[in-house]
Amino acid sequence: MIEFVAHNLAPIMFGSLIIFLLLGYPVAFSLAANGLLFFIIGVELAPLSNDINLFWPLLGALPDRFFGGVMSNDTLLAIPFFTFMGLILERSGMAEDLLDTIGQLFGPLRGGLAYAVIFVGALLAATTGVVAASVIAMGLISLPIMLRYGYDRRLASGVIVASGTLAQIIPPSLVLIVLADQLGRSVGDMYSGALVPALVLTGLYVGYVFLVTMFNPNAAPALPKEARTLGHGVTSLIFAAAGAVVLAYLATTLLDGQVEQGAAIWGATIAILAVYFVAVLNKALKLPLLSYLTQQVIIVLIPPLALIFLVLGTIFLGIATPTEGGAMGAVGALALAFGKRKLNLSLMTQAMESTTKLSAFVLFILIGARVFSLTFYGVNGHIWVEELLTSVPGGQTGFLIVVNILVFFLAFFLDFFELAFIIVPLLAPAADSLGIDLIFFGVLLGLNMQTSFMHPPFGFALFYLRSVAARVPYLDRITGKRMEPVTTGQIYRGAVPFVCIQLVMVGLTILFPQMVMRYKSEAPVLDPSAIQLQIPNFGGEGGLPPLGGASGVGSPQNNPLGLPPLGMPPVGAPAGGAQAPAAGGASQQAPAAAPSMGLPPLDFGNAPGEAAPAPVAPPASQQPSSPTPPASAGQSAPIDLSQPPSFQ
């Protein structure tokens, strides 16, 4: 039994963690306690299994994992910045102005308020990045208005919850920051890869509302005329939008080639600023250039768009890192709150307190995950998970399907932070070994983990809406009618269709991976066939310089590199040790020529020009059995290598 536990410690450890979490223990402490408990067990069982690599000194690695891997992680600094930015914007009244103005704009259409909620939810997601702030703000503002004008409670609840969870996948999402950190990839690449799937998911939400209004018009009626307080004037808005498009095109054409990258972004920025300047001028001087509706839409809509550019535009243009973009976004949110005269000490205190709580929550989960992973990797748990998942039939597609089903069901019980810190580090090595791009894998998991906010019965977005929706009958402050409350069952049933839409989006992402992989096309791609290597011609028949022989050494045409000669003897020179005829016809010993390759001769003690001395004969007892042949006449005596040389 003990040997069975020793050989299967990794799956037992993972199952124990799931049990701890299902019992309701805090995630951070469950991770740390489970890791330390199984570390003790693993050290005791290490002699029984070769799969356990745990020993007591390994605990000394924990401080380095805490300070080197968590506290000094610059990527995680973006979390408090974006959280603070979102809380400031949520409390500054921006969401209320956006919902009121956009609701008036789409009011004449059936389902207009639902369209406005989805559109504003996408804007809040791109500015706040916090699901709780988006759901609570729209639940407080738009839900009473939708119920006032006869919207179906299930549709109204589902639209608010789903549009609030767009903050999970639309940059600057906190989930994408955590996933990029866990996968070891760039946050900017993760943002760029998630942009198109987020827009497609928003379009699917709009399409669902359109289908509901087509088959059941009473579920989402249009606003009555008396509720459209901003009047009409959509024609001037169309002309303003057309003028902005033309101006953006002209600015992009002029800037193309003048800036390194992002000419289209700069062109759109110039056009938006020009339209905003015209609207402000029209309001200040009371000019008849724009209708009141168009003027309000532009003035209310442009500031959050400017904040989006300040955060995401600078990241995509390469001007700022995600952490620096979050810092600029926090400053921009303070400026917008100051412009609305909502910036005060109470607002700052509440925002900083909430930011500190969320940042500490993330930090403690990450520290607990470090303790858990130290033990889990020590028992080769990552190898167990990798072998388990890579053996799934179907290759990459089969792996992605199984992993998404696993994450979908775990999302019933675990929060997205818990999934990111516990499950993703185990899945990433298997995905990488199968050749799956980790940015694509991270965006796919982000889309899937978005459903964790809407899963009955533990979806946090459902709880957020439940906390602000009416629980008892109340009198509407505008019409004076008695309004029935929204039940928990209606909230749950309203969220189910949008959970199905999110699953459809996961399938579309698997079928069309280029929606994510387009992030690679933004960098210049080199064609290997277009690369040409040019080797300079140094002269000579083969294009190579001569070896620098004795003949023509000093001539630059024969030695263009100025290399020293290799010390070869001239052609026809007698070799060292050969006899050359003297002038008198007698044969005498020729002086030794310079050794080849210009190396100095080995001098074992004989003076220059002298013959090597005869070796000293060893004693008779040490003489070899076979006699050494004597040196022939005219040759130097051989050197006895059995004796150490003498250096003088």
Side-chain angles (χ1 to χ4, degrees):
M1 180 65 181
I2 296 179
E3 293 182 355
F4 174 81
V5 172
H7 288 287
N8 296 276
L9 197 59
I12 294 175
M13 181 179 179
F14 186 76
S16 301
L17 175 64
I18 299 298
I19 293 175
F20 274 123
L21 295 176
L22 292 179
L23 290 176
Y25 288 100
V27 178
F29 301 117
S30 297
L31 285 168
N34 199 57
L36 291 176
L37 174 63
F38 278 89
F39 187 91
I40 299 173
I41 297 174
V43 170
E44 297 297 327
L45 298 181
L48 301 178
S49 175
N50 294 328
D51 296 331
I52 300 177
N53 303 310
L54 295 176
F55 45 91
W56 290 115
L58 191 60
L59 285 176
L62 281 178
D64 181 66
R65 292 172 68 86
F66 293 160
F67 291 98
V70 179
M71 306 302 293
S72 61
N73 193 335
D74 294 336
T75 302
L76 297 178
L77 279 176
I79 293 178
F81 284 134
F82 284 122
T83 305
F84 180 78
M85 179 184 72
L87 293 172
I88 289 292
L89 290 177
E90 184 262 329
R91 288 170 170 80
S92 65
M94 185 188 72
E96 183 175 359
D97 294 341
L98 280 172
L99 282 169
D100 182 52
T101 305
I102 305 302
Q104 295 279 338
L105 179 63
F106 290 107
L109 302 176
R110 284 185 299 186
L113 288 177
Y115 295 144
V117 168
I118 295 173
F119 184 75
V120 173
L123 278 179
L124 290 178
T127 52
T128 64
V130 182
V131 174
S134 300
V135 174
I136 291 175
M138 290 188 294
L140 287 172
I141 300 166
S142 63
L143 184 60
I145 300 175
M146 297 172 80
L147 298 181
R148 179 185 305 154
Y149 295 110
Y151 270 66
D152 183 79
R153 282 170 166 74
R154 291 171 297 180
L155 177 63
S157 302
V159 166
I160 292 173
V161 170
S163 59
T165 55
L166 286 174
Q168 285 286 101
I169 194 62
I170 293 182
S173 167
L174 299 183
V175 179
L176 297 178
I177 297 174
V178 174
L179 286 175
D181 175 69
Q182 295 298 306
L183 294 172
R185 291 297 184 266
S186 166
V187 178
D189 288 343
M190 192 71 75
Y191 281 175
S192 180
L195 193 57
V196 173
L199 295 177
V200 173
L201 181 61
T202 306
L204 291 178
Y205 288 168
V206 173
Y208 171 73
V209 173
F210 176 76
L211 291 177
V212 169
T213 57
M214 289 292 293
F215 292 101
N216 187 11
N218 295 327
L223 284 180
K225 289 186 177 181
E226 59 271 13
R228 305 173 200 167
T229 57
L230 296 181
H232 58 278
V234 182
T235 305
S236 63
L237 181 61
I238 295 175
F239 277 108
V245 170
V246 172
L247 183 58
Y249 175 76
L250 294 177
T252 303
T253 305
L254 293 175
L255 292 175
D256 193 14
Q258 303 295 325
V259 295
E260 294 183 1
Q261 59 178 349
I265 297 179
W266 287 114
T269 303
I270 293 173
I272 291 174
L273 291 177
V275 172
Y276 184 73
F277 176 76
V278 171
V280 172
L281 191 65
N282 185 80
K283 181 179 180 180
L285 301 179
K286 297 182 180 180
L287 301 176
L289 298 176
L290 302 173
S291 65
Y292 184 68
L293 175 63
T294 303
Q295 172 186 297
Q296 284 299 111
V297 168
I298 292 174
I299 292 177
V300 171
L301 197 60
I302 296 302
L305 290 178
L307 187 62
I308 292 172
F309 170 76
L310 184 65
V311 177
L312 298 181
T314 53
I315 294 175
F316 291 155
L317 288 174
I319 299 174
T321 64
T323 303
E324 295 166 349
M328 290 191 297
V331 175
L334 291 174
L336 289 180
F338 180 78
K340 290 181 172 294
R341 300 179 181 179
K342 297 291 182 66
L343 187 62
N344 50 46
L345 184 60
S346 174
L347 175 63
M348 291 289 293
T349 303
Q350 294 175 10
M352 294 179 70
E353 181 180 356
S354 300
T355 302
T356 304
K357 288 181 179 179
L358 181 61
S359 301
F361 169 76
V362 174
L363 186 65
F364 271 94
I365 290 181
L366 189 53
I367 289 176
R370 292 285 179 174
V371 178
F372 177 83
S373 64
L374 177 69
T375 305
F376 196 71
Y377 279 67
V379 298
N380 287 333
H382 59 295
I383 299 177
W384 168 69
V385 174
E386 183 175 347
E387 292 178 351
L388 182 67
L389 294 175
T390 53
S391 60
V392 172
Q396 293 184 357
T397 305
F399 170 80
L400 292 175
I401 292 174
V402 170
V403 165
N404 280 281
I405 292 175
L406 173 66
V407 172
F408 177 75
F409 282 104
L410 287 177
F412 277 92
F413 312 103
L414 301 178
D415 189 11
F416 69 96
F417 275 130
E418 301 159 7
L419 290 171
F421 289 135
I422 301 172
I423 304 301
V424 173
L426 303 179
L427 301 178
D432 196 22
S433 64
L434 289 173
I436 299 174
D437 185 87
L438 291 185
I439 294 292
F440 168 77
F441 189 61
V443 172
L444 192 63
L445 291 182
L447 287 168
N448 199 335
M449 286 191 290
Q450 186 179 349
T451 61
S452 67
F453 277 93
M454 295 194 296
H455 272 318
F458 301 115
F460 284 93
L462 306 179
F463 294 153
Y464 297 149
L465 183 60
R466 175 69 279 173
S467 65
V468 297
R471 296 175 178 270
V472 295
Y474 66 96
L475 294 177
D476 185 73
R477 61 184 181 87
I478 301 297
T479 60
K481 296 181 180 179
R482 185 177 185 272
M483 306 297 297
E484 295 297 325
V486 179
T487 64
T488 304
Q490 290 172 341
I491 295 176
Y492 284 175
R493 287 195 296 270
V496 170
F498 291 94
V499 173
C500 296
I501 291 174
Q502 290 174 348
L503 295 179
V504 170
M505 188 63 218
V506 171
L508 290 176
T509 307
I510 296 176
L511 290 176
F512 304 101
Q514 284 304 317
M515 287 192 296
V516 179
M517 301 301 292
R518 56 171 292 278
Y519 84 93
K520 288 189 173 182
S521 63
E522 296 177 356
V525 180
L526 295 178
D527 184 9
S529 61
I531 299 176
Q532 297 181 357
L533 296 178
Q534 296 183 356
I535 301 177
N537 189 357
F538 295 103
E541 183 178 353
L544 296 176
L547 295 179
S551 60
V553 171
S555 57
Q557 62 272 18
N558 291 331
N559 190 12
L561 295 181
L563 297 175
L566 294 180
M568 297 292 185
V571 179
Q579 293 182 356
S587 176
Q588 67 179 11
Q589 182 73 22
S596 61
M597 306 302 291
L599 298 176
L602 291 175
D603 185 5
F604 290 97
N606 45 318
E610 295 181 359
V616 179
S621 60
Q622 299 181 5
Q623 288 184 358
S625 58
S626 59
T628 304
S632 59
Q635 293 183 353
S636 300
I639 301 173
D640 185 8
L641 298 179
S642 65
Q643 299 296 325
S646 60
F647 298 94
Q648 297 178 356

